[in-house]
Every structure is written in C-alpha cells, then in structure tokens.
Amino acid sequence: MMQVALKIWRYDASTGDRALREYEVDAPEEATLLDVLDIVKDKVDGSLAYRKSCRMMICGSCGMRMDGAAVLACKTRMYDVAQSGHVPVISAMGNLPIVRDLVVDMDPFWEKFKAMKPYLQPGYERPDDGREYRVTQERMNAVKKEALCINCGCCVSECNAMESDPEFLGPQALAKGFRFVGDPRDGATVERLEQYSGEHGIWECTRCFFCNERCPKGVDPRDAIAKLGAEAVKNGIDRDMGAKHAKWFIRSTETTGWLRETELVPKTQGVVSSIKQMKFAMNLIKHNKAGLAFPPHVAANVGEARNLHKLVHEQGVLGAAGHIQGERALSKLEHGYHEGGDPYGPGSFPKPYLPEDTE
Amino acid sequence: MKRVAYYKGCLASLSAKELDTSTQALAPRVGLELVELESVTCCGAGDIHEAEPDYYLHLNARILAYAEATGSDTLLTVCNVCTLNLRQANFMLKGDDTLRARINANLEAVGVPPYSGEVEVRHLLWEIAEGDGYELLKQAAHKGLKGLKVAPFYGCQILRPSKIMGFEDPDRPWSLERIIEACGGEAIDYPAKIKCCGFPIIQAREETAMGELIQPVEQAIEAGADVMVTPCPLCHLSLDAWQQKLEASTGKKFGLPILHLAQLVGVAAGIEESELKFKRHIVDPRPALERLEV
Ligand code: SF4
Ligand code: SF4
Ligand code: SF4
Ligand code: SF4
Ligand code: FES
C-alpha cells in the first residue's frame, strides 16, 4: 500500500461555491487516479462527483485535469507522484462548463461532434460480382489514427483556439471529420471539406499542439486538421484566408526562396481589408518590420526549390497522403523529454505551471 | 568552438534582422562557430506543411542536405517553427528508408546533394541552457541584468509536441528561466508562458488570435515584468507588433518590450547596441534597460 494525497477543486454550479480540498488516503501501489478518487468517495466524502465507466481507457468518461493538464483518470498511475511527495491538484476539464466537482457539461462537445455528420455517407456502388464493397487495409490505414478517438475531450480541454473562440469546432470534431474525409467509402468528401472550411473550421486552428500532447489515444488531432487542410487545398477549396496564406508561402519559396512578407497581408486578406490595415502597416514599415525590400532578398539556387515543387506535383503525393507517408516513421517516437534535464529538480524554481492553483 | 550549420529562417533574414545580428554577435561567446547556409529557402512554416506536405518534406530535406554538406552534425535554428518543421522532417527521413530514398532521388534530380539522416536540429535555446554552452554563457554574461524582471515566453512549438521536441517537460519548462537567472535577471512566473500567442492565425482569424495574445502580455505585466523574452521570432512579431492592436482594442496601455533570446543574453554579455538593434522594435526596450542601468 501507499499513501496518496490529492487536492481537489470542488464546485457546485447551482450555488457557485468553489473550494480546494485536500484528501489523503491509503491505496494499492498500482492505483490509478480513478482508483484513488473511488477510495476518497467510498471512505472520505461520498458527495464527490466525477464520471467513470470502463476503467480501461475505452469509454472516454473520466477526462479531468491533474496539475492543469488533461488526463484520463483511469490511465494515470499515482505511484511516482505519491513517492515524490508532490500533492497534485485535480480539477475539471477546461473549455466546457462545470456541472459539479469534476463533471463537465459535454453538450457543447456533442453538438460540434454532431455537426461533423459523423457517419458514413456511402459513395460506392456494389461491385459487379454482387459481393460486398471491399477496401484494402492500406486504404483504411489512412484513417487509422483518427478512428482511435474515444471522445474523452482531453484535447478540447486545452485547445487554445477554443479558449479564445468557443465556437471553434475544435480538435475532436475536426479529427472526426478527417475520419470520414479520409475514408475511401465515403461519398461526401467535397461537401464535408466545404463545410469544415467555414469560419470556425480547419483554418481557425492556431497550431498550439496541446491536443497532440494531451490525447491519451494517439489520435494527434492537430495532424488530422493538417490532413483536412491539405485535402481542402487539393480539392481547390481554398477561398479561406488561411488557405490563401499557405498558397502564398508556396509561391514565395519558388520565386525568392524566402517569404515575401510585404505582399503577404494583401495576398491573404484581399485589398479592401488591407487598406484598413494601412495605419498598422505603416508603423511596421517605419520599424523595418515590413520594409519594401528592393531588390527582394533572393536565396541562391532557388530554381532547385521550383523544380522540386514541379516534381512533387508530377509524382502526385498530394493532399493528406503527404502527411500520412510520414506517419510510419513518426509512430516510432514517444512523448517525453530527456530525463535529468531539469537542473532545478522537482518542486524547486521554476514553479510548475498550475493554473488551478493560482486562481 | 562547436561548428554548426546556421539556419536563419525567413524572419531573421528579413523583418527580424536584429535576431540575426545579435545571434551572430553572441555565437562565438557561447562557443558556437556559425556556418551560414547560402542556398536554403524558407522552411514553409506551418503553412506549406499543412497545405502541401510532400513539398514541405522536400524543402526541409533540402535544408538538411545543405546543412550536412557543411560537414557539421548540428543544424542550429533560432525560430520555434523552423525547429519543429526541420525536426519533424528529419524524423520522417531518418525513420523510413523507403521514404528517404524517394526524397533523395528527387533532390539529386534537381541538383541537391542527398541527405543521409545524420544531422541533429537544435535550437539556440537548448545549446545555451545546459552543457558547455551554459558554462560559457555564465562567463559571457558578466555585465549581468541587475535584477531585471524578465517574463519567459516559450511559445508552442519549442515545447509541443514533446515527441518531436523532447528537450524539456512541456508543462514545466525550465530552460529560459535558467538562462535569465544565469544572466543575473529575475525570472517571473505566469501561466500563459507555455501557451500560444496566436501568430499562425493572426491574419486569417485576427480576433481569435488576439484573445490568445492578450494573455501572456497582461499576465506578465501583472506579475511585474520589465521585459519579456522569447526564443521565437514569430512570437516576437505578434507580441511586439500586434501589441499596438491589443492596446487599440482594449484601450489599455501595455508597452511591454519583447526581446529575442539572443538579445537578452546579448545585453548581459555587453554586446553593442549596433548588433542588438533595438530600434527595430515597435515597443522600444531601451527605456526599461536604461532605467535599471543594465
Ligand atoms: S492545435 Fe489546433 S485544435 Fe489542437 S489544441 Fe491547438 S488550436 Fe486546438
Ligand atoms: S482526440 Fe484524443 S483527446 Fe480528443 S477526444 Fe479523441 S481520444 Fe480524447
Ligand atoms: S518558420 Fe518561419 S521564419 Fe522560420 S523559416 Fe520557416 S517560415 Fe521562415
Ligand atoms: S507561440 Fe506563437 S509563434 Fe510561437 S509557436 Fe505558438 S504560435 Fe508560434
Ligand atoms: S473510465 Fe472509461 S476511459 Fe477512463
């Protein structure tokens, strides 16, 4: 057995009462955070509210934050934390309204999920031999990662774009979107890409990579969003400023080699909105932040980049396929960092980032 | 001296030239000999990576190939986004012989030397946060920052995804704090130091980006920061240049000076103003530095 101490943010939405309470219990050494919460509820305080079901990382019910980072409680072993003497702070997930204690209201999550039309819209004919429609494993592998999602919300909890704009479809919904865009049997690819490219879709992702870092199932939602972006551009759905921005980058590498920044704002936003940006832009020019570079700074041998671009288009690894080709190599990597790197040691300066503690 | 291939990236080549000059001036004092790469292009940022991933991989493979051709085993970066792009491409090429063979055939077809997969991509931050670089930094920073209160701002793509970056705990990073303290400054702590500044969508979704940008600026000021330091010129651009838009939209006055990492260390190392080029900033850091007689 081991002793585990926890601080839990208790909350009651009906009264608005909020309090950080500390608990200490005995638990078996192999206990997960979920096991510890069960012990607290059984032995110390029966009013503690949290969700759980499968206890084996498959139902997606037990998403919550430990020290400000979203985790599945049933996947998080407590032994090392307890041994270190650190008392972790447990709180409800972010970006969703709290109902009570560690329970959030998942309705906004499910609404976005539903908006993606998360079901197959078959786009195939039954083969001539009268048998079932067959897809190769290789083609289904395109959506292998996205299909792993268990709808736990850990990614949504930390999404920086959603924090700023709650309307953003967000990592879970968009990853689900690619699960169908990338499915060879689905017939609504173009309609989906049009819909997902809306104001709160693909191009609102701010690439903070919190979703990839937090997802307990290796879905890598940010990568799924990149696949959607690549498919949208491949299918000519590129009216969004985000897509235009990307196309201008490509043009720059083929001409000067370096980003032609001065022209980037007009290319992305169009002339009308650029005039509004004029005052702001003039100030940048004054400080050489967006100076008109004459002659433009041109990288040596930029023709090589131009020819590579031509080759890439000839070989036709376009759209999401370009992302998927790297997955085999990237799947060999694991999240983490070099041990012993932190010269301060646990608990010393700099203080850990504990947003719930600082409120 | 450690000889490294030096990849500036677009910003340090163009709108953030002050990052290039301060890096060049600082390098020898922290034991780095920079070999400039002439024929390289932009890494494509998150944009080409997202829209045309196969082209992204070729562009970055080309940069890695030219880095390898210098004979150095390290490619030094000074931008978060370049670091993520190049490290990710590097892992793709190292970890898949078939993929590397196809990309190399294409590189050779256009006259670029093939890439063997032996280069390591490292940000300047990591070179001076530990090991020999850190020891030299402590000696070089003899002028000291004299208690200057510095807010570290990491930005996203030097921390996450940790399976590609892998240097420090993405939730409890320490490298910038350690450098600030070695320079005699005081590192202040605030939650948004590991969050996003909004730069990637600052043009396409300005309002959403501003909702992110305001967090580090406000929190750092509240925590008493004199200046902020960042290892990423894109973070620098949004924090420094778009701060005026934050002021216009909120009616508040922020005036928080933002320093590039090489500039902050440069001040402590007594590097000339002519190399640090503070006059290129929108929010002038000089008053804050002069006030403290740094
Ligand atoms: S990378 Fe995009 S989707 Fe993922 S958490 Fe950040 S903003 Fe949200
Ligand atoms: S993508 Fe990952 S973190 Fe997000 S809901 Fe699905 S399983 Fe959970
Ligand atoms: S990330 Fe940016 S600054 Fe760095 S090279 Fe690429 S485009 Fe340029
Ligand atoms: S913090 Fe800002 S510029 Fe920096 S990596 Fe995130 S988005 Fe990029
Ligand atoms: S209880 Fe089902 S995922 Fe944790």
Side-chain angles (χ1 to χ4, degrees):
Chain A
M1 296 292 273
M2 61 177 175
Q3 276 206 318
V4 191
L6 297 176
K7 287 185 197 154
I8 304 177
W9 270 110
R10 305 294 305 267
Y11 177 73
D12 185 344
S14 58
T15 61
D17 292 342
R18 200 155 189 264
L20 188 63
R21 299 252 162 75
E22 187 161 344
Y23 302 88
E24 199 170 320
V25 294
D26 289 324
E29 288 183 357
E30 67 278 12
T32 62
L33 173 56
L34 184 58
D35 296 328
V36 174
L37 293 176
D38 281 345
I39 297 170
V40 170
K41 192 171 169 77
D42 279 354
K43 306 231 161 105
V44 187
D45 186 345
S47 70
L48 178 66
Y50 52 96
R51 283 200 184 96
K52 64 165 182 178
S53 179
C54 71
R55 318 177 62 90
M56 49 188 283
M57 302 166 257
I58 203 67
C59 72
S61 305
C62 65
M64 59 186 69
R65 276 176 164 170
M66 180 157 106
D67 288 338
V71 295
L72 284 182
C74 69
K75 193 188 173 189
T76 308
R77 301 251 176 216
M78 296 306 284
Y79 184 79
D80 288 345
V81 185
Q83 293 307 305
S84 75
H86 171 62
V87 180
V89 175
I90 313 300
S91 59
M93 289 195 294
N95 282 333
L96 291 161
I98 307 177
V99 179
R100 214 179 112 188
D101 300 340
L102 307 176
V103 176
V104 292
D105 176 5
M106 294 289 280
D107 282 355
F109 178 95
W110 295 119
E111 271 161 35
K112 286 175 180 158
F113 180 79
K114 271 191 247 159
M116 306 310 287
K117 305 206 176 90
Y119 39 81
L120 199 70
Q121 302 182 47
Y124 54 84
E125 308 267 309
R126 188 176 274 264
D128 289 341
D129 62 7
R131 289 177 57 198
E132 73 281 11
Y133 179 74
R134 280 148 284 169
V135 219
T136 60
Q137 183 62 47
E138 197 199 338
R139 290 183 69 201
M140 285 310 286
N141 280 348
V143 295
K144 185 176 64 188
K145 287 171 75 183
E146 291 75 14
L148 294 171
C149 173
I150 58 170
N151 314 324
C152 65
C154 288
C155 54
V156 164
S157 169
E158 331 275 286
C159 175
N160 278 200
M162 240 178 185
E163 211 177 87
S164 176
D165 178 12
E167 301 275 299
F168 175 45
L169 282 169
Q172 191 276 342
L174 287 166
K176 189 59 70 183
F178 185 74
R179 193 250 162 270
F180 291 99
V181 163
D183 190 316
R185 301 164 300 171
D186 194 83
T189 310
V190 173
E191 294 85 335
R192 287 183 191 277
L193 289 170
E194 288 276 3
Q195 187 205 335
Y196 307 163
S197 299
E199 191 186 345
H200 302 297
I202 304 172
W203 305 103
E204 196 175 10
C205 165
T206 187
R207 301 178 189 148
C208 70
F209 286 89
F210 267 107
C211 51
N212 283 20
E213 194 66 37
R214 297 291 190 244
C215 175
K217 302 301 280 189
V219 174
D220 288 334
R222 167 59 217 155
D223 299 0
I225 297 169
K227 292 176 200 168
L228 285 174
E231 283 297 305
V233 169
K234 179 180 142 191
N235 284 281
I237 304 166
D238 50 14
R239 288 181 307 277
D240 195 278
M241 273 191 237
K244 284 193 206 148
H245 197 263
K247 291 180 74 175
W248 185 243
F249 262 92
I250 294 167
R251 194 76 200 107
S252 291
T253 59
E254 292 182 303
T255 49
T256 59
W258 298 108
L259 184 59
R260 289 156 58 177
E261 295 160 280
T262 345
E263 292 154 276
L264 187 61
V265 174
K267 289 284 169 196
T268 313
Q269 300 193 326
V271 180
V272 180
S273 112
S274 287
I275 293 170
K276 279 192 273 172
Q277 304 275 25
M278 233 11 185
K279 208 173 126 225
F280 174 61
M282 289 312 288
N283 203 7
L284 299 191
I285 289 167
K286 204 171 86 199
H287 291 88
N288 298 309
K289 287 291 157 198
L292 297 160
F294 286 118
H297 175 90
V298 180
N301 303 320
V302 70
E304 293 172 4
R306 199 158 43 232
N307 290 336
L308 281 174
H309 193 234
K310 228 185 279 162
L311 265 180
V312 162
H313 277 258
E314 277 162 26
Q315 293 176 356
V317 187
L318 299 175
H323 291 293
I324 293 163
Q325 67 178 344
E327 283 180 352
R328 203 161 71 98
L330 296 180
S331 70
K332 296 175 186 165
L333 307 173
E334 280 180 31
H335 285 302
Y337 42 94
H338 74 293
E339 287 300 329
D342 183 349
Y344 297 94
S348 59
F349 187 89
K351 290 179 204 74
Y353 163 60
L354 299 176
E356 300 299 325
D357 231 357
T358 55
E359 272 175 28
Chain B
M1 281 287 177
K2 178 171 170 182
R3 209 169 152 270
V4 297
Y6 169 48
Y7 180 66
K8 281 186 218 179
C10 307
L11 259 69
S13 307
L14 298 163
S15 72
K17 284 205 183 71
E18 72 278 9
L19 171 58
D20 179 41
T21 53
S22 43
T23 304
Q24 303 256 18
L26 176 67
R29 303 178 200 217
V30 291
L32 296 171
E33 182 194 337
L34 306 183
V35 185
E36 273 207 58
L37 298 173
E38 286 304 326
S39 318
V40 293
T41 62
C42 166
C43 74
D47 294 83
I48 297 183
H49 171 263
E50 172 150 8
E52 289 203 9
D54 198 32
Y55 184 41
Y56 144 81
L57 187 55
H58 282 82
L59 274 183
N60 284 269
R62 183 171 172 274
I63 298 166
L64 290 161
Y66 279 117
E68 190 171 58
T70 65
S72 162
D73 58 3
T74 304
L75 176 57
L76 186 84
T77 51
V78 288
C79 165
N80 287 5
V81 184
C82 303
T83 311
L84 172 60
N85 262 350
L86 285 159
R87 284 182 72 85
Q88 176 160 289
N90 203 19
F91 282 129
M92 287 176 177
L93 296 166
K94 275 178 202 264
D96 190 332
D97 296 340
T98 325
L99 182 61
R100 192 174 67 250
R102 179 174 76 87
I103 308 291
N104 272 337
N106 289 343
L107 290 183
E108 288 183 278
V110 303
V112 181
Y115 175 55
S116 75
E118 295 304 318
V119 168
E120 222 211 316
V121 180
R122 286 176 63 85
H123 193 291
L124 172 69
L125 172 67
W126 303 344
E127 287 295 324
I128 59 177
E130 62 177 10
D132 294 344
Y134 177 69
E135 295 308 320
L136 289 166
L137 164 79
K138 280 195 290 188
Q139 292 166 25
H142 62 283
K143 276 195 69 193
L145 295 172
K146 304 205 175 70
L148 187 75
K149 290 203 172 93
V150 186
F153 183 78
Y154 285 87
C156 310
Q157 299 179 15
I158 194 75
L159 298 173
R160 294 176 297 274
S162 66
K163 71 175 172 189
I164 303 220
M165 308 319 293
F167 181 76
E168 58 194 326
D169 185 339
D171 294 314
R172 290 154 192 79
W174 48 266
S175 58
L176 279 175
E177 281 85 347
R178 193 179 198 213
I179 292 167
I180 293 166
E181 299 207 324
C183 292
E186 186 190 327
I188 63 133
D189 201 28
Y190 63 105
K193 72 180 180 187
I194 63 166
K195 290 172 76 175
C196 184
C197 71
F199 185 81
I201 52 171
I202 212 154
Q203 289 181 335
R205 298 287 185 284
E206 188 171 280
E207 235 179 277
T208 308
M210 290 305 208
E212 299 178 70
L213 182 62
I214 195 162
Q215 298 181 30
V217 173
E218 272 194 333
Q219 290 176 12
I221 291 172
E222 203 170 306
D226 297 311
V227 300
M228 180 179 271
V229 65
T230 173
C232 176
L234 296 169
C235 303
H236 185 276
L237 186 59
S238 54
L239 290 160
D240 182 40
W242 264 262
Q243 208 182 116
Q244 50 180 323
K245 283 203 169 182
L246 275 186
E247 291 185 340
S249 63
T250 59
K252 293 183 191 164
K253 184 90 192 90
F254 297 122
L256 179 67
I258 318 292
L259 302 188
H260 297 285
L261 175 62
Q263 285 177 322
L264 184 88
V265 180
V267 174
I271 291 173
E272 293 299 312
E273 164 81 37
S274 59
E275 308 290 340
L276 302 178
K277 298 197 194 305
F278 289 129
K279 64 176 186 305
R280 295 178 56 92
H281 292 216
I282 304 286
V283 181
D284 192 343
R286 285 169 295 190
L289 300 175
E290 279 156 20
R291 205 165 49 237
L292 284 133
E293 292 163 20
V294 175

